[in-house]
Amino acid sequence: MGTALGAPVKLGALPLSVEPNAKLLTLSSAGIRTAFPSAAGRPDAVFMTEDRKVSVAFEWRGSKLAVNEIEKLVAQFPAVIRSQVPNVKTLKASLLQLGGAPWAQFVFTTPPSQSQGDDLRRELLVTSLGGRMLVLTIAGNMKDYSRNEAVVRTLTNSVRLN
């Protein structure tokens, strides 16, 4: 893991750039393979907060998604989340603009696992990039996310699609 720099950085083969900051660590390819052993759903790039409690994963999926379908996704995808994720406690879906592009945002919480005492928080940010689905997944528990929210938001607000 290396400390990320403050200048725009291209993320591997992804046609986008971000402006990471010194409070974020970048997972190497080997680190990503270790953290995501299954090749299916393995992200293309992952940042972690300094305390290693919140991750921001970038995944450019093969699934087709056109820009004009993002608003429909906001309406339809919550049912998919509820069917695939057990015990969803809260779920909020909205449409927002990041870096001049429309994104579908899904924020949901689930009860903690046995070893953790705080609800788990997941945020999916989804947009169309080159006609395909780009997904940013922000994951951590509620307390850790709250503590790291400013750093995470600075990163997500810096995303620029090329």
Side-chain angles (χ1 to χ4, degrees), residues 145-160:
Y145 175 78
S146 295
R147 193 170 47 249
N148 288 289
E149 183 173 10
V151 172
V152 170
R153 284 292 152 230
T154 298
L155 177 68
T156 57
N157 289 335
S158 78
V159 172
R160 296 293 174 265

Side-chain angles (χ1 to χ4, degrees), residues 5-86:
L5 306 171
V9 174
K10 199 160 164 11
L11 296 182
L14 296 175
L16 63 90
S17 63
V18 296
E19 291 180 28
N21 62 57
K23 299 238 184 267
L24 288 169
L25 305 169
T26 306
L27 250 58
S28 65
S29 295
I32 292 172
R33 280 192 303 276
T34 301
F36 301 88
S38 168
R42 180 180 296 146
D44 299 285
V46 178
F47 292 95
M48 301 221 37
T49 53
E50 273 184 319
D51 61 7
R52 293 176 170 78
K53 301 283 188 183
V54 181
S55 63
V56 181
F58 291 73
E59 185 184 353
W60 196 25
R61 297 183 180 170
S63 310
K64 300 280 182 232
L65 180 67
V67 173
N68 64 355
E69 296 172 323
I70 295 170
E71 201 168 335
K72 238 186 288 174
L73 194 65
V74 172
Q76 296 172 349
F77 202 62
V80 175
I81 292 171
R82 288 194 185 283
S83 72
Q84 293 181 351
V85 179

